[in-house]
């Protein structure tokens, strides 16, 4: 069995920290205990990679603030591939063919709109282009559960695979149509305030290939924002693992656990960092998985030209594909590398109003309520030989990248690697106050059910139940100050 404390980081070319550097880091990442003024460098959310905050929808689409002229060109080419509309095969546009036959979108940008958050369908007439369903079936013990302690075995649905696609090429039925019904739940807050939450109920209709497996487990997912991924990837695994407290040894009710996943890139267990349940270890792995599952595009990591089509979908597998030309794969090593570089270097905007009195009060409420126990404010990244943009930066992502049990209200009841059906990775909060500006909405949580930051807080349960109840009972001014602090991130 692999021991989580000994995980390798083969995706990074690490230069060891000096003894002096290592000694400085605990002091600069220590939790705040004075809220009269902002901490040093707090406004620089991504260190030297921070970008200035702009007032339009491009706030999440800027390259790292410390990127070189040469690398900015690579960023722009990667952006072109991220935005590219893929077409079906055969096609005269050989560099862009290979879409589907089953897919969720025709480009990465169609889900990660302006590099920001997706959203659930707005109504019966709206599509679910930036939202989809994961699907799996309980499985037997395999190689993975022998290699990774606590691994929860699942297998793809025998007909629908691991992801439901609601679009298809001509001549192929789409897999399903997503239906959502909401039930309103009222929550009474101190000061006479009331907030209505919406509890979703999901359905799959128009199944194109027959019934789902009777034990199929479905998990709705909204596309998350893209900023700061390369910096999160560069946080030392040891620093993340040091925050884990699976048995709640300190008695604070918080028991974060790392997700340990199998890397198809390196052929070994690695710390999961990306995805709503930390199911992917690297940005490259996450990007290649999205090409396969979302677009049906093959790559060196996921080489199936038919993407998510299963053996039961034989006509889908037999359809023309785009992987037999000079590329070898529908997106080749160079193209995947450029998209990965782009994704690693989407810049994090600077904080706003860090010295505002209400923001400072909200920060104090955030800390004293215990929110910082999971939404860990800061880290220092590895010193890296070949990634100057991410190398040795003090960053403020407000996440511990660990799994936490969020209670039955948010449970999808579908495991992923070591994550149980009620566990989710703590999402980063940096940039969250710019969501409306970038994405045109304020829908939060894994399925977009929360329509505001306050609603998102009120859905917290499990390990965060005590913090949620504190927010419900606190003075209304402090509650508004807390939201104002979050909006400044």
């Amino acid at each position: 069995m692999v021991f989580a404390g000994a995980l390798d980081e083969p995706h990074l070319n690490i230069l060891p920290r000096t003894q002096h550097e290592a000694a400085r880091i605990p002091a600069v990442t220590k939790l705040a205990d004075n809220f009269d003024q902002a901490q040093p460098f707090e406004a620089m959310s991504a260190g030297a990679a921070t970008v200035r905050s702009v007032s339009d929808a491009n706030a999440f689409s800027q390259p790292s603030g410390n990127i070189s002229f040469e690398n900015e060109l690579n960023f722009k080419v990667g952006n072109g591939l991220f935005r590219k509309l893929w077409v079906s095969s055969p096609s005269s546009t050989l560099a862009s063919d290979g879409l589907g036959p089953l897919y969720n979108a025709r480009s990465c940008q169609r889900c990660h709109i302006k590099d920001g958050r997706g959203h659930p369908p707005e109504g019966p007439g709206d599509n679910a282009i930036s939202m989809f369903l994961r699907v799996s079936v309980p499985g037997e013990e395999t190689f993975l559960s022998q290699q990774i302690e606590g691994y929860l075995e699942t297998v793809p649905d025998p007909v629908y695979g691991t992801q439901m696609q609601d679009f298809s090429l001509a001549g192929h039925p789409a897999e399903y149509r997503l239906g959502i019904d909401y039930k309103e739940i009222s929550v009474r807050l101190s000061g006479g305030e009331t907030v209505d939450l919406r509890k979703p109920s999901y359905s799959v209709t128009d199944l194109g290939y027959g019934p789902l497996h009777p034990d199929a487990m479905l998990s709705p997912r909204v596309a998350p924002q893209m900023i700061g991924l390369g910096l999160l990837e560069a946080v030392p695994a040891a620093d993340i693992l040091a925050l884990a407290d699976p048995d709640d040894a300190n008695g604070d009710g918080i028991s974060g656990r790392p997700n340990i996943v199998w890397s198809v890139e390196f052929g070994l267990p690695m710390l999961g960092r990306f995805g709503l349940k930390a199911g992917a270890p690297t940005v490259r792995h996450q990007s290649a998985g999205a090409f396969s599952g979302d677009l049906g595009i093959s790559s060196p990591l996921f080489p199936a030209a038919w993407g998510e089509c299963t053996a039961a979908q034989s006509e889908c597998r037999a359809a023309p594909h785009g992987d037999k030309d000079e590329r070898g794969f529908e997106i080749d090593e160079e193209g995947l590398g450029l998209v990965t570089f782009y994704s690693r270097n989407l810049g994090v905007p600077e904080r706003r109003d860090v010295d505002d009195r209400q923001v400072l009060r909200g920060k104090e409420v955030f800390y004293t309520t215990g929110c910082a126990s999971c939404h860990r404010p800061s880290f220092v990244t590895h010193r890296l030989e070949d990634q100057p943009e991410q190398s040795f930066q003090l960053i403020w992502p407000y996440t511990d990248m660990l799994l936490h049990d969020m209670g039955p209200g948010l449970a999808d009841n579908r495991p992923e690697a070591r994550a149980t059906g009620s566990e989710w990775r703590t999402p980063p909060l940096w940039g969250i106050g710019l969501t409306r500006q970038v994405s045109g909405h304020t829908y939060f949580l894994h399925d977009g059910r929360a329509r505001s930051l306050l609603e998102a807080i009120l859905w917290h349960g499990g390990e965060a139940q005590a913090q949620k109840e504190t927010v419900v009972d606190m003075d209304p001014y402090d509650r508004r100050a807390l939201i104002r602090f979050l909006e400044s991130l």
Side-chain angles (χ1 to χ4, degrees):
M1 293 290 184
V2 66
F3 175 57
L7 291 176
D8 293 327
E9 298 172 287
H11 62 296
L12 301 173
N13 292 320
I14 299 167
L15 296 172
R17 294 169 175 172
T18 67
Q19 194 171 23
H20 177 65
E21 288 171 345
R24 289 168 49 205
I25 290 170
V28 299
T29 58
K30 180 183 176 184
L31 293 179
D33 54 12
N34 184 302
F35 304 96
D36 293 334
Q37 59 186 8
Q39 293 167 263
F41 312 112
E42 186 179 0
M44 302 292 286
S45 297
T50 305
V51 299
R52 66 186 183 89
S53 183
V54 298
S55 58
D56 59 23
N58 294 310
F60 289 173
S61 301
Q62 304 173 77
S64 299
N66 55 352
I67 200 168
S68 67
F69 177 79
E70 294 79 11
N71 277 343
E72 187 171 356
L73 178 60
N74 290 330
F75 177 89
K76 290 178 178 177
V77 176
N79 183 22
L81 291 170
F82 193 82
R83 296 167 61 91
K84 180 167 74 170
L85 294 175
W86 293 83
V87 299
S88 60
S89 298
S91 170
S92 59
T93 56
L94 294 179
S96 299
D97 72 333
L99 177 70
L102 303 175
Y103 60 96
N104 294 107
R106 289 184 58 200
S107 75
C108 307
Q109 185 79 205
R110 288 283 180 93
C111 288
H112 301 279
I113 304 162
K114 301 300 291 183
D115 307 297
R117 297 174 188 274
H119 59 84
E122 297 283 1
D126 193 13
N127 62 45
I129 198 167
S130 57
M131 183 180 192
F132 65 85
L133 292 176
R134 293 266 188 228
V135 58
S136 56
V137 175
E140 304 291 334
E141 181 176 312
T142 67
F143 168 80
L144 291 177
S145 52
Q146 295 170 2
Q147 293 292 310
I148 300 174
E149 184 175 2
Y151 195 90
L152 301 170
E153 289 284 4
T154 61
V155 295
D157 181 277
V159 175
Y160 291 94
T162 62
Q163 182 171 324
M164 304 287 285
Q165 284 86 22
D166 53 351
F167 289 97
S168 61
L169 300 179
H172 299 272
E175 289 190 324
Y176 82 118
R177 180 177 296 276
L178 174 66
I180 311 177
D181 291 314
Y182 291 107
K183 176 184 178 182
E184 294 285 330
I185 302 173
S186 292
V187 179
R188 295 182 62 83
L189 309 179
S190 63
E193 299 177 19
T194 301
V195 174
D196 290 329
L197 307 182
R198 56 179 190 172
K199 180 180 180 180
S201 176
Y202 297 97
S203 61
V204 292
T205 60
D206 300 336
L207 287 166
Y209 298 87
L212 286 159
H213 189 281
D215 297 325
M217 302 173 288
L218 300 173
S219 178
R221 306 289 176 90
V222 165
Q225 65 185 32
M226 296 283 293
I227 57 173
L229 298 184
L231 293 162
L232 295 177
E233 186 180 52
V235 173
D239 292 355
I240 297 170
L241 294 168
L243 300 174
D245 184 16
D247 300 317
D248 191 20
N250 63 5
D252 66 352
I254 307 297
S255 52
R257 303 189 310 124
N259 203 357
I260 309 301
V261 301
W262 186 258
S263 168
V264 299
E265 190 175 358
F266 299 104
L268 49 76
M270 291 180 65
L271 174 68
R273 298 173 187 252
F274 303 106
L276 292 165
K277 286 182 179 272
T282 67
V283 175
R284 185 168 179 262
H285 182 128
Q286 180 81 348
S287 300
F291 270 114
S292 178
D294 299 351
L295 288 86
I297 297 295
S298 65
S299 71
L301 292 190
F302 297 94
W306 48 77
E308 271 276 297
C309 297
T310 65
Q313 297 165 326
S314 56
E315 292 186 9
C316 179
R317 287 198 171 192
H321 300 293
D323 65 339
K324 299 303 182 184
D325 54 30
E326 62 272 14
R327 292 173 294 172
F329 303 100
E330 290 162 337
I331 187 164
D332 59 15
E333 186 69 53
E334 183 180 15
L336 180 60
L338 287 165
V339 171
T340 301
F341 184 84
Y342 171 77
S343 301
R344 280 180 177 147
N345 281 284
L346 282 163
V348 181
E350 63 191 346
R351 285 273 310 279
R352 285 89 49 216
D353 304 324
V354 293
D355 285 313
D356 179 89
R357 300 311 305 172
Q358 189 179 31
V359 168
L360 289 171
R361 175 57 187 160
K363 178 183 175 182
E364 183 175 9
V365 172
F366 183 87
Y367 278 71
T368 56
T369 301
C371 305
S373 297
C374 299
H375 291 283
R376 188 76 181 185
S378 61
F379 292 94
V380 173
T381 61
H382 276 301
R383 190 177 289 283
L384 300 174
E385 184 176 5
D386 54 355
Q387 291 178 230
E389 299 87 3
Q390 288 83 44
S391 180
F392 207 55
Q393 301 298 325
L394 171 62
I395 63 172
W396 303 78
Y398 289 88
T399 174
D400 59 8
M401 286 184 274
L402 297 174
L403 300 171
H404 294 275
D405 188 329
M406 297 302 293
L410 289 179
D412 66 352
N413 300 309
R414 177 186 176 272
E416 186 171 340
R418 297 176 78 229
T420 69
S422 58
E423 287 182 317
W424 300 93
R425 182 201 68 156
T426 306
L429 297 181
W430 52 11
I432 200 167
L434 297 173
T435 299
R436 182 183 294 279
Q437 177 182 313
V438 171
S439 302
H441 64 76
T442 54
Y443 297 142
F444 301 107
L445 301 178
H446 66 279
D447 56 1
R449 70 178 68 186
R451 294 162 293 188
S452 68
L453 290 170
L454 181 55
E455 283 189 34
I457 293 169
L458 296 176
W459 271 110
H460 283 50
E463 295 176 40
Q465 180 70 25
Q467 286 74 26
K468 187 269 294 287
E469 291 176 356
T470 299
V471 173
V472 168
D473 294 335
M474 70 175 46
D475 184 280
Y477 173 81
D478 284 344
R479 197 160 48 234
R480 289 191 294 271
L482 174 61
I483 299 302
R484 181 77 176 85
F485 166 70
L486 295 173
E487 291 173 342
S488 78
L489 297 178

